[in-house]
């Protein structure tokens, strides 16, 4: 299971009475919606809860909660969600606060996120943009056109560059 969906304590440590006290009646633990491996859906999918997709989906995914793309999933859609964990294949752009690409994850599309983690073996074919990152704010403060940019003053040296220096002659 993805780190986005895991709790600090293992499931074995949580007893039934504690779970019943914390979870309102009729509310599933973990995922509000699960699209099974044998499911093929096309269209616009929106959800305000957590979603796990193990099947095939093409269209548009707009999830206010978190989304986990399972290993068997084949998604052909842009994904917008709070946190996104990808273990399957996604052909489309991905936009979220945190994006996690697991070792079996493959994405053909651009990623926009505040935080991105990838495991060894993951595949990305696209552009990565870090939204809300300090480097972006610094870029906003940088000059916007070439007329504002000035060449830094050249350091004056009377010595030739290191590559052009002659080797000292050895005394025999």
């Amino acid at each position: 299971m993805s780190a986005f969906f895991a709790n600090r304590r293992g499931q074995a440590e949580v007893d039934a009475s504690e779970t019943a006290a914390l979870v309102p009646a009729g509310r599933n633990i973990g995922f509000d919606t699960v699209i099974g491996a044998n499911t093929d859906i096309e269209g616009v999918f929106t959800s305000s809860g957590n979603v796990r997709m193990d099947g095939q989906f093409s269209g548009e995914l707009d999830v206010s909660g978190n989304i986990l793309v399972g290993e068997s999933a084949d998604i052909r859609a842009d994904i917008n969600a709070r946190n996104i964990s990808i273990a399957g294949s996604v052909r489309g752009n991905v936009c979220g606060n945190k994006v996690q690409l697991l070792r079996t994850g493959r994405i053909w599309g651009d990623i926009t996120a505040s935080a991105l983690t990838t495991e060894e073996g993951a595949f990305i074919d696209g552009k990565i943009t870090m939204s809300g990152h300090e480097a972006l704010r610094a870029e906003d403060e940088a000059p916007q056109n070439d007329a504002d940019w000035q060449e830094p003053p050249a350091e004056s040296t009377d010595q030739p560059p290191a590559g052009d220096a002659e080797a000292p002659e050895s005394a025999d």
Side-chain angles (χ1 to χ4, degrees):
M1 184 182 300
S2 166
F4 293 134
F5 300 101
N7 58 13
R8 293 195 184 268
R9 300 187 312 175
Q11 289 294 345
E13 297 176 29
V14 179
D15 65 0
S17 63
E18 184 179 355
T19 302
L22 297 176
V23 180
R27 177 108 167 127
N28 294 330
I29 298 173
F31 300 103
D32 296 304
T33 305
V34 176
I35 305 299
N38 297 320
T39 305
D40 189 354
I41 299 176
E42 184 175 334
V44 177
F45 183 94
T46 59
S47 175
S48 60
N50 295 335
V51 176
R52 178 179 177 127
M53 298 205 118
D54 290 311
Q56 297 177 341
F57 179 84
S58 59
E60 183 180 335
L61 284 168
D62 190 11
V63 178
S64 300
N66 303 321
I67 186 165
L68 171 63
V69 176
E71 281 189 50
S72 62
D74 181 18
I75 308 300
R76 295 172 186 269
D78 291 341
I79 301 175
N80 293 298
R82 181 174 51 221
N83 297 312
I84 304 163
S85 186
I86 300 171
S89 70
V90 175
R91 295 177 194 279
N93 298 326
V94 174
C95 182
N97 181 41
K98 294 180 182 177
V99 175
Q100 178 183 38
L101 196 57
L102 302 172
R103 64 181 179 80
T104 56
R106 299 166 312 281
I107 181 167
W108 291 267
D110 297 340
I111 299 171
T112 302
S114 297
L116 173 68
T117 58
T118 60
E119 291 183 351
E120 185 175 349
F123 174 83
I124 302 170
D125 183 6
K127 180 178 74 170
I128 299 169
T129 302
M130 301 299 290
S131 63
H133 194 271
E134 289 179 18
L136 281 178
R137 287 189 291 275
E139 184 178 283
D140 290 340
E141 296 170 6
Q144 297 300 313
N145 61 40
D146 292 337
D148 293 340
W149 189 80
Q150 296 178 0
E151 183 77 32
E155 294 181 27
S156 62
T157 59
D158 293 335
Q159 298 177 352
D164 295 340
E166 295 179 22
E169 294 181 24
S170 62
D172 289 314

